[in-house]
């Protein structure tokens, strides 16, 4: 009996082995690094590389930053450890960020700032908990190519995200990159840098003299310096072009409702301030979000768009409060009077449709401004492409990619488009991507790298990363 | 703007696929599974109720057969290259079973009742795989009740017909691409029982000589329709609730296709029986899968996705060798064409041409009681598909199955 039991259990065991070992398997080509060496990767860039999303830098976004996802995939083909300046779990909300709390009766999204578990060590100026160890993700939210050789950019008066990383306030970003590159002895790099050289101008509707488009020669000089700092013998890398910023939800979301309101009111056109001065321009309602000669209302106009056609000074009162050194009502009133006089505003006129009360420049990207942004974007991208070409680097043409998905696409059962909130790609600030969007961008970069270096880096499963969270 | 944003939240949900692919289950008799599931052109005992009611009239004893199979099946998935994304599904569904009883009114006229499960599917991928927005899991089962009458016209020809009363049910679950703060992603579950539907199963059996027999069998199409099935949602954000209204019900219809089979039996000796079957399954009846909802779900009261199945052939061969009066050894093989065209692969049944190998044995304890044991191994071809026409999940799928079964026969 014992012998029988032994025999039958052996039989059962071997049957079990047979069954499990015969589970279906799919033969797959092995991942390989091709002609590239991913063992030490460093990333240079702005907010898009830092993992910035929902109007802030926070731990969850950092964990799904494009460089972090790239490094994760590189590990399948010999990539090494990749260190990011992560906010701690206790300070996971970093700079704070926007959270969707609901929708207004009109259906506009309502957001609120996340204000707990922040990594803010000083309020005025805003400074973040320091992180000065050596890292691989050197991206700085807000940085422009124009800034990389500016002394003092890492000081308490500079960019707080750079100030956070450097222990030497006199160091320029370029010097910081050189030092970190040396420490990492990198073999592969990415540079995704040029957005802010047009974006600050665009998002403020070209209204402020301190938010200008970077001059092309300065861009060329700084971008070359940056690539030179990272490229060299035995080093490979990938460069990224600037997308057409007028196609992002920050500029495409508000326009349609304005157009609808103007059309309903029978208004064939509207009046707006252009540039930083008090010059008015007459614009046609049909130009809003138009493919040719288009003008765009930024997300910041959402609060004022419902006031179109009414006598209102709301925008100027809000601006006066912001611009005043003190919130003393007398001081604010003085600032307001100055603003109204300066721009020739009559708040008793109909907002947006009268010469006396035009749409403020900051609330509209008009034709001239769009042209400025587009020609600068083209010039910057030509420089980036030329660098990639001359140095034999991989190039992800983000501009071409985002143009190709304007009509949306579907992948793994989910629809994607550049639409605000529902498009799944862009986060609540309308400029930066969701973790899902960053994963999709990562895959496009991997495709560019694989094509250039004959490598076989596996793509990220974007379905494992979230899109916009709803209340 | 409200309608624009809110109406689009998670709005893609039912554009993707649903329900099973080649969901026929060929496990109708433990003896015949051992013989590659042949049986149209030979006498198979009480299971002729299923294989060929015409052969039932040749039975010389009354009998009852009860049997069931256990399925251990897995499907492997790999995303389109280059990738390191994989997944694996358990693939089973309840317990395919069969009960047959035959009673002889006289020498020539027999009546019988069969209860069996000719269609079904059960696939469990879970909520985390890459195709989660297409399918988390599905259970589909059809049960046929078939009262049957068979008449032996001459000692060489028998005809039979069974009246099929079919019922069944479906449960389908998937993840929704909509997520509430601090919560897992949304889910939808469709659950419903099918209305009773009717069909028939008819056959002619011809035995010209002791050595040779031929059979033709036709099992008609049965459309299973679920009405007022329940739609349940989980983890839906308040902001998206309007798109996923509570209390929604659904209606859907799925064809159980007709099957025409021709079988030939050959008995070179007293001990050895050989059989071949060729079947044509009219899968082309399955053109699309459509759900109608009582309230708009994801912005629409209708969700329809193309299937456009092709008719498919099944080729079978099997044999039985009587070692002695009590012990029978069996073996068989078959080749089952997939009805799913390129571009239409779905994760419900990531179907591919499949190869089946079977062995079996029968043992008679007495004139009254015998048992049949079978073991079937199914190996579906690895298949890579873009799934762009079915809105399915692109990638490579590969499935294998091990199906042991046991049956008992009583004769009196």
């Amino acid at each position: 009996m014992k012998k029988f039991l032994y025999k039958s259990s052996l039989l059962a065991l071997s049957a079990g082995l047979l069954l499990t070992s015969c589970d279906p398997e799919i033969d797959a080509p092995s991942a390989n690094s091709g002609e590239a060496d991913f063992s030490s990767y460093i990333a240079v860039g702005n907010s898009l590389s830092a993992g910035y999303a929902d109007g802030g830098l926070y731990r969850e976004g950092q964990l799904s930053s494009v460089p972090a996802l790239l490094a994760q995939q590189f590990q399948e083909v010999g990539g090494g450890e990749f260190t990011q300046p992560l906010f701690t779990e206790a300070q996971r909300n970093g700079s704070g960020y926007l959270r969707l709390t609901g929708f207004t009766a009109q259906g506009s999204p309502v957001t609120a700032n996340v204000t707990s578990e922040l990594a803010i060590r000083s309020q005025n100026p805003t400074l973040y908990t320091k992180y000065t160890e050596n890292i691989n993700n050197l991206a700085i939210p807000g940085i422009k190519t124009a800034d990389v050789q500016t002394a003092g950019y890492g000081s308490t008066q500079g960019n707080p995200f750079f100030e956070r990383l450097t222990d030497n306030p006199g160091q320029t970003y370029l010097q910081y990159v050189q030092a970190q590159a040396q420490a990492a002895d990198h073999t592969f790099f990415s540079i995704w840098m040029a957005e802010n050289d047009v974006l600050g101008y665009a998002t403020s509707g070209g209204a402020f003299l301190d938010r200008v488009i970077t001059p092309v020669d300065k861009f060329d000089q700084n971008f070359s310096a940056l690539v030179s700092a990272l490229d060299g013998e035995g080093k490979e890398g990938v460069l990224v072009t600037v997308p057409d910023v007028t196609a992002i939800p920050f500029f495409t979301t508000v326009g349609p409702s304005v157009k609808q309101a103007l059309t309903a009111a029978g208004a064939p056109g509207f009046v707006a301030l252009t540039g930083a001065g008090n010059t008015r321009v007459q614009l046609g309602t049909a130009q809003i979000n138009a493919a040719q000669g288009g003008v765009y209302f930024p997300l910041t106009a959402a609060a004022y768009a419902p006031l179109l056609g009414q006598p209102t000074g709301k925008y100027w009162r809000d601006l006066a409060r912001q611009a005043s050194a003190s919130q003393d009502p007398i001081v604010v009133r003085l600032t307001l009077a100055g603003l109204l006089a300066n721009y020739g505003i009559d708040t008793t006129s109909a907002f947006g449709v009268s010469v006396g009360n035009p749409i403020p420049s900051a609330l509209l990207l008009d034709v001239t401004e769009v042209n400025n942004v587009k020609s600068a974007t083209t010039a910057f991208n030509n420089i980036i492409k030329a660098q990639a070409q001359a140095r034999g680097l991989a190039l992800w043409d983000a501009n071409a990619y985002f143009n190709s998905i304007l009509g949306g696409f579907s992948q793994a059962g989910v629809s994607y488009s550049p639409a605000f909130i529902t498009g799944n790609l862009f986060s609540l600030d309308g400029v930066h991507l969701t973790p899902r969007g960053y994963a999709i961008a990562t895959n496009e970069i991997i495709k560019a790298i694989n094509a250039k270096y004959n490598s076989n880096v596996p793509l990220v499963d974007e379905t494992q990363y979230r899109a916009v969270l709803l209340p | 703007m409200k309608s624009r944003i809110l109406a689009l939240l998670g709005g893609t949900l039912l554009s993707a696929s649903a329900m099973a692919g080649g969901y026929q289950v060929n496990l109708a008799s433990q003896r015949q599974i051992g013989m590659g599931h042949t049986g149209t052109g030979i006498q198979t005992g009480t299971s002729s109720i299923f294989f060929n009611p015409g052969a039932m009239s040749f039975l010389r004893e009354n009998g009852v057969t009860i049997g069931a199979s256990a399925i251990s099946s897995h499907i492997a998935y790999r995303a389109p290259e280059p990738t390191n994304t994989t997944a694996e599904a358990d693939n089973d569904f309840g317990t395919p079973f069969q009960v047959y009883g035959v009673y002889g009114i006289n020498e020539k006229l027999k009546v019988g009742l069969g209860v069996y499960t000719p269609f079904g599917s059960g696939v469990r991928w879970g909520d985390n795989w890459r195709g989660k927005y297409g399918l988390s899991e599905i259970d589909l089962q059809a049960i046929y009740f078939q009262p049957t009458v068979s008449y032996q016209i001459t000692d060489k020809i028998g005809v039979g017909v069974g009246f099929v009363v079919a019922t069944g049910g479906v449960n389908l679950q998937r993840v929704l691409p909509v997520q509430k703060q601090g919560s897992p992603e949304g889910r939808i579950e469709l659950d419903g029982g099918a209305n009773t539907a009717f069909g028939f199963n008819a056959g002619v059996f011809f035995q010209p000589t002791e050595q040779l027999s031929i059979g033709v069998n036709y099992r008609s199409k049965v459309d299973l329709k679920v009405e007022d099935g329940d739609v349940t949602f989980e983890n839906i954000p308040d902001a998206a609730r309007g798109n996923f209204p509570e209390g929604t019900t659904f209606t859907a219809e799925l064809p159980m296709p007709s099957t025409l089979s021709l079988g030939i039996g050959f008995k070179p000796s007293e001990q050895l029986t050989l059989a071949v079957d060729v079947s044509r399954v009219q899968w082309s009846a399955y053109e699309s899968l459509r759900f109608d909802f009582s309230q708009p779900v994801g912005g629409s009261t209708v969700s329809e996705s193309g299937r456009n199945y092709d008719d498919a052939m099944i080729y079978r061969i099997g044999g039985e060798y009587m070692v002695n009066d009590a012990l029978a050894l069996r073996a068989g093989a078959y080749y089952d064409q997939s009805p799913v065209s390129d571009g239409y692969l779905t994760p419900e049944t990531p179907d591919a041409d499949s190869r089946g190998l079977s062995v079996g044995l029968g043992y008679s304890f007495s004139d009254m009681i015998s048992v049949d044991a079978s073991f079937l191994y199914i190996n579906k071809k690895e298949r890579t598909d873009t799934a762009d026409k079915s809105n399915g999940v692109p990638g490579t799928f590969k499935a294998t199955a091990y199906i042991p079964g046991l049956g008992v026969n009583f004769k009196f």
Side-chain angles (χ1 to χ4, degrees):
Chain A
M1 188 67 190
K2 211 170 178 185
K3 200 171 168 192
F4 173 76
L5 279 177
Y6 172 72
K7 266 192 162 173
S8 52
S9 57
L10 253 189
L11 205 67
L13 186 70
S14 44
L17 278 178
L18 180 78
L19 295 192
T20 45
S21 65
C22 291
D23 272 354
E25 272 178 28
I26 297 168
D27 289 331
S30 64
N32 71 81
S33 61
E35 292 134 33
D37 174 358
F38 300 108
S39 58
S40 175
Y41 162 48
I42 60 172
V44 163
N46 52 38
S47 48
L48 291 165
S49 291
Y52 194 96
D54 301 320
L57 185 66
Y58 59 107
R59 188 178 165 94
E60 190 196 358
Q62 292 180 303
L63 289 170
S64 47
S65 73
V66 167
L69 299 186
L70 277 174
Q72 170 192 303
Q73 298 309 104
F74 288 165
Q75 282 180 353
E76 300 283 322
V77 290
E81 208 174 308
F82 187 80
T83 307
Q84 295 200 96
L86 291 176
F87 292 115
T88 62
E89 192 59 53
Q91 301 189 334
R92 60 183 176 276
N93 293 331
S95 68
Y97 60 94
L98 297 173
R99 191 169 59 81
L100 193 59
T101 58
F103 293 85
T104 64
Q106 288 78 38
S108 298
V110 180
T111 56
N113 281 305
V114 173
T115 53
S116 62
E117 282 91 30
L118 301 183
I120 292 175
R121 72 172 209 272
S122 150
Q123 289 290 351
N124 202 7
T126 302
L127 297 172
Y128 303 113
T129 309
K130 299 282 276 188
Y131 193 111
T132 54
E133 282 121 87
N134 287 335
I135 52 178
N136 295 81
N137 188 351
L138 313 179
I140 309 291
I143 194 169
K144 293 188 267 188
T145 313
D147 297 326
V148 305
Q149 303 205 61
T150 304
Y153 193 67
S155 75
T156 54
Q157 301 308 306
N159 181 323
F161 291 106
F162 183 34
E163 192 274 343
R164 175 175 177 245
L165 302 183
T166 179
D167 51 11
N168 175 1
Q171 196 179 35
T172 66
Y173 182 66
L174 183 64
Q175 289 162 345
Y176 174 75
V177 168
Q178 285 164 331
Q180 290 293 322
Q182 198 162 18
D185 191 16
H186 71 287
T187 58
F188 194 88
F189 65 91
S190 62
I191 303 177
W192 186 0
M193 194 65 187
E195 283 69 23
N196 292 320
D197 293 281
V198 292
L199 195 65
Y201 172 85
T203 55
S204 59
F208 305 105
L209 292 170
D210 59 347
R211 296 195 200 168
V212 294
I213 295 177
T214 302
V216 174
D217 55 346
K218 172 137 193 179
F219 179 88
D220 195 3
Q221 192 188 335
N222 277 7
F223 194 80
S224 305
L226 206 49
V227 184
S228 302
L230 295 172
D231 192 26
E233 189 62 31
K235 300 185 197 303
E236 290 94 21
V238 59
L239 307 183
V240 182
T241 61
V242 189
D244 173 7
V245 298
T246 63
I248 63 179
F250 187 84
F251 289 111
T252 57
T253 304
V254 175
S257 60
V258 175
K259 191 172 184 173
Q260 203 177 9
L262 288 171
T263 309
F270 57 100
V271 187
L273 286 166
T274 181
N278 62 7
T279 312
R280 270 81 167 151
V281 284
Q282 287 280 348
L283 295 159
T285 303
Q287 283 178 270
I288 298 170
N289 285 21
Q292 295 295 321
V295 298
Y296 303 90
F297 287 86
L299 272 188
T300 42
Y304 308 102
L307 304 174
L308 277 172
Q310 300 171 25
T312 176
K314 178 172 161 54
Y315 171 81
W316 301 104
R317 287 197 304 278
D318 291 348
L319 185 64
R321 266 195 291 277
Q322 255 177 48
S324 298
S326 114
Q327 293 304 299
D328 182 332
I330 298 169
V331 177
V332 174
R333 211 172 301 155
L334 271 174
T335 314
L336 177 60
L339 284 170
L340 295 179
N342 198 13
Y343 293 99
I345 305 299
D346 170 12
T347 59
T348 62
S349 301
F351 178 57
V353 289
S354 67
V355 175
N357 197 358
I359 289 169
S361 180
L363 301 189
L364 185 77
L365 196 61
D366 65 44
V367 180
T368 314
E369 292 154 357
V370 168
N371 287 339
N372 290 342
V373 166
K374 292 206 166 170
S375 60
T377 300
T378 305
F380 298 162
N381 285 343
N382 286 340
I383 289 165
I384 295 167
K385 288 178 193 171
Q387 283 285 348
Q389 178 77 34
R391 296 173 179 270
L393 298 170
L395 175 85
W396 177 42
D397 193 345
N399 189 284
Y401 175 74
F402 280 101
N403 283 341
S404 76
I405 63 158
L406 288 178
F409 65 99
S410 172
Q411 192 167 300
V414 183
S415 294
Y416 298 96
S417 78
F420 194 42
I421 299 182
T422 59
N424 292 318
L425 293 173
F426 284 89
S427 71
L428 292 171
D429 57 32
V431 174
H432 299 92
L433 303 180
T434 57
R436 177 77 58 87
Y438 281 130
I440 287 171
T442 300
N443 284 340
E444 295 304 315
I445 294 176
I446 290 175
K447 288 177 198 169
I449 290 170
N450 284 341
K452 178 71 193 178
Y453 296 112
N454 217 4
S455 52
N456 193 24
V457 179
L459 300 177
V460 181
D461 179 4
E462 81 283 353
T463 67
Q464 304 303 311
Y465 300 86
R466 71 163 176 86
V468 174
L469 295 178
L470 302 171
Chain B
M1 190 153 155
K2 176 171 195 169
S3 52
R4 205 160 62 87
I5 286 193
L6 295 182
L8 288 170
L9 293 174
T12 60
L13 84 143
L14 288 163
S15 59
S17 56
M19 287 233 200
Y23 43 84
Q24 194 170 42
V25 179
N26 288 302
L27 300 169
S29 151
Q30 297 308 322
R31 174 174 180 253
Q32 299 318 124
I33 294 168
M35 296 175 69
H37 213 259
T38 54
T40 310
I42 55 173
Q43 294 181 36
T44 67
T46 56
S47 67
S48 285
I49 289 175
F50 171 83
F51 287 96
N52 187 346
M56 193 173 95
S57 60
F58 282 69
L59 275 178
R60 289 294 157 252
E61 292 131 329
N62 299 330
V64 170
T65 300
I66 299 169
S69 294
I71 298 180
S72 165
S73 174
H74 296 278
I75 309 171
Y77 167 76
R78 188 174 166 87
E81 297 297 330
T83 189
N84 57 344
T85 301
T86 59
E88 194 179 298
D90 288 335
N91 181 15
D92 59 64
F93 74 100
T95 304
F97 68 90
Q98 62 280 158
V99 179
Y100 302 108
V102 175
Y103 176 75
I105 308 264
N106 59 39
E107 273 289 295
K108 291 185 176 280
L109 185 66
K110 312 284 187 242
V111 292
L113 175 68
V115 183
Y116 54 92
T117 52
F119 295 94
S121 173
V123 183
R124 266 154 275 281
W125 292 101
D127 284 353
N128 294 315
W129 80 297
R130 182 172 168 76
K132 62 189 171 181
Y133 304 117
L135 184 76
S136 296
E137 58 177 272
I138 182 169
D139 275 291
L140 167 74
Q141 188 153 15
I143 301 177
Y144 282 21
F145 298 82
Q146 186 192 315
T148 308
V149 56
S150 182
Y151 185 72
Q152 197 174 14
I153 300 170
T154 72
D155 58 358
K156 290 186 174 149
I157 296 184
V159 294
V161 63
F163 178 64
V164 168
V165 180
T167 185
V170 66
N171 179 287
L172 180 142
Q173 300 172 37
R174 56 165 61 155
V175 175
L176 295 170
V178 57
Q179 192 172 6
K180 188 181 164 100
Q181 291 155 0
S183 157
E185 289 175 284
R187 283 182 108 251
I188 183 172
E189 178 172 349
L190 307 179
D191 188 88
N195 295 346
T196 305
F198 306 101
F200 69 91
N201 181 356
V204 179
F205 184 73
F206 177 49
Q207 177 130 33
T209 72
E210 278 293 308
Q211 279 79 38
L212 186 69
S213 55
I214 300 170
V216 178
N217 173 250
Y218 181 77
R219 296 192 289 279
S220 73
K221 183 177 83 153
V222 174
D223 287 320
L224 279 184
K225 186 172 186 182
V226 175
E227 281 181 307
D228 294 329
D230 294 325
V231 181
T232 339
F233 301 106
E234 268 179 83
N235 303 325
I236 300 298
D238 294 343
R241 174 52 75 185
N243 265 346
F244 307 104
E246 294 283 10
T248 304
T249 60
F250 76 96
T251 297
E253 193 172 275
L254 192 69
M256 308 290 127
S258 63
T259 303
L260 177 67
S261 302
L262 172 70
I264 297 173
F266 184 56
K267 246 178 127 96
S269 73
E270 249 331 279
Q271 286 77 34
L272 186 63
T273 304
L274 299 173
V276 292
D277 270 32
V278 178
S279 299
R280 183 172 179 82
V281 187
Q282 252 104 41
W283 280 113
S284 55
Y286 192 23
E287 290 172 352
S288 75
L289 178 65
R290 180 184 162 115
F291 290 95
D292 287 276
F293 298 104
S294 61
Q295 307 176 69
V297 172
S300 172
T301 56
V302 176
S303 156
E304 187 165 21
S305 50
R307 289 294 178 270
N308 290 318
Y309 274 24
D310 293 330
D311 290 347
M313 302 295 290
I314 310 175
Y315 306 93
R316 307 173 182 284
I317 184 164
E320 179 183 63
Y321 182 74
M322 297 299 300
V323 178
N324 53 44
D325 280 351
L327 181 66
L329 297 179
R330 302 167 190 136
Y334 67 79
Y335 186 82
D336 186 355
Q337 277 183 343
S338 171
V340 181
S341 305
D342 288 346
Y344 284 100
L345 208 62
T346 65
E348 292 85 27
T349 298
D351 208 50
D353 293 347
S354 63
R355 296 148 298 195
L357 280 177
S358 68
V359 290
L361 63 84
Y363 189 81
S364 298
F365 292 100
S366 71
D367 284 346
M368 301 216 14
I369 298 184
S370 64
V371 295
D372 291 306
S374 69
F375 185 84
L376 171 63
Y377 168 68
I378 299 175
N379 186 315
K380 292 200 176 193
K381 286 183 181 168
E382 184 175 304
R383 184 162 183 186
T384 301
D385 198 74
T386 53
D388 51 338
K389 298 187 175 108
S390 56
N391 236 327
V393 178
T396 304
F397 294 86
K398 166 82 184 173
T400 56
Y402 305 90
I403 307 174
L406 204 59
V408 191
N409 311 294
F410 305 95
K411 288 177 197 164
F412 40 85

